[in-house]
Amino acid sequence: MNDRIEDWSGKRVWLLGASSGIGAALGTLLLARGARVAFSARNAARLAELAGDAERALVLPCDAADEASLHAAWEGLLAAWGGIDVALYVAGDYLPMRAWQLDAARARQMIAVNFGGAVSFAACVVPQLLRQGSGQIGFVASVAGYRGLPKSLIYGPTKAALINFAEALYLDLEPKGIGVRVINPGFVATPLTAKNDFAMPALLTPEQAAQQTIAGFASGAFEIHYPKRFTLVLKVLAHLPYRVYFPLIRRFAGR
């Protein structure tokens, strides 16, 4: 469904959300694989630390939820490289939330980062990919976007929207030679999941998640999901009738 990427040597990769978690691990791994990596996030000091003195690294600080800031980083990338081969939106925000904890301000912040920023990211990148007639764009969503889950009152819907957005982009861009990927991890040990107060089955390290992501790019898959022992179970659950799904999820969550 997409061109396979097995050799990353010389590939120009933009990672937005690269200061921690999966994004930071991906940046480190891609540099080791010979790619040119542009690191973007709000924490400029952390980005500089990750880039080190690598000649193939760019540090382009920006705020994913600030469209002007994001565009400035994109213009900096174009000025340095003239184009892009792979653009990955890894930025995310998460706060566990139940119905009786609904906070509109925090909800808007999650929506702005998890979905609004991804749209702005695509608005930067897609015109350039179309001009080039090549390249790929990807988004880190989550298995939480498959179906409603406890404590995922706002986070889950933002990821569901991101999955749907990536699907629609694929339908438009694949005939034009542009690749689109959606990455749906299960639980990964990051500063965001550290907020959870429940057991996280099949928990991965960011380094393991980065390896799985790169392995996914070596296939033509539209969706990259991992770890399979967890994500395949959720895929089955997501297709159950509600009368079966709701009791099972409540039992699983202990509520």
Side-chain angles (χ1 to χ4, degrees), residues 99-125:
W100 48 87
Q101 299 168 322
L102 182 56
D103 181 321
R106 283 296 283 118
R108 284 192 293 271
Q109 182 178 338
M110 276 189 272
I111 293 166
V113 175
N114 295 350
F115 185 62
V119 174
S120 296
F121 180 77
C124 287
V125 172

Side-chain angles (χ1 to χ4, degrees), residues 3 7 11 22 52 79 82 90 98 104 139 161 188 213 219 226 238 241 245 251-253:
D3 288 341
D7 182 4
K11 295 288 185 188
I22 298 173
V90 198
R98 304 298 295 266
F139 307 89
V188 180
T213 301
S219 76
Y226 51 78
Y245 174 77
R251 185 180 306 169
F252 173 76

Side-chain angles (χ1 to χ4, degrees), residues 8 10 17 37 41 47 65 71 76 82-83 94 103-104 113 124 133 141 144 156 166 174 188 199-200 226 238 245-246:
W8 289 87
V37 180
L47 297 180
H71 273 275
Y94 169 64
D103 181 321
V113 175
C124 287
E174 186 274 337
V188 180
M200 293 179 277
Y226 51 78
Y245 174 77
F246 286 143

Side-chain angles (χ1 to χ4, degrees), residues 5 8 11-17 26 30 36-38 70 74 77 81 83-91 118 120-126 128-129 132 134-140 169 178-183 213 217:
I5 303 179
W8 289 87
K11 295 288 185 188
R12 299 163 297 178
V13 182
W14 186 23
L15 296 175
L16 179 49
L26 266 174
L30 287 170
R36 288 187 276 174
V37 180
L70 195 156
W74 172 241
L77 184 150
W81 289 347
I84 189 77
D85 296 301
V86 179
L88 287 175
Y89 189 83
V90 198
S120 296
F121 180 77
C124 287
V125 172
V126 168
Q128 177 63 31
L129 296 181
Q132 295 172 181
S134 64
Q136 299 193 20
I137 184 170
F139 307 89
V140 174
L169 279 177
I178 308 303
V180 180
R181 311 269 190 162
V182 66
I183 299 124
T213 301
F217 271 88

Side-chain angles (χ1 to χ4, degrees), residues 20-60:
S20 65
I22 298 173
L26 266 174
T28 300
L29 180 57
L30 287 170
L31 279 178
R33 296 280 185 104
R36 288 187 276 174
V37 180
F39 292 84
S40 287
R42 290 177 299 172
N43 190 336
R46 175 59 176 154
L47 297 180
E49 179 184 340
L50 289 165
D53 57 2
E55 294 182 0
R56 289 178 282 104
L58 280 179
V59 174
L60 300 169

Side-chain angles (χ1 to χ4, degrees), residues 95-103 149-154 250 253-255:
L95 180 68
M97 193 179 292
R98 304 298 295 266
W100 48 87
Q101 299 168 322
L102 182 56
D103 181 321
L149 293 169
K151 298 194 175 182
S152 194
L153 187 67
I154 302 302
R250 283 190 177 125
R255 293 167 179 81

Side-chain angles (χ1 to χ4, degrees), residues 234-250:
L234 287 182
K235 283 179 174 291
V236 172
L237 290 174
H239 288 88
L240 292 175
Y242 286 118
R243 67 180 182 276
V244 178
Y245 174 77
F246 286 143
L248 279 175
I249 289 299
R250 283 190 177 125

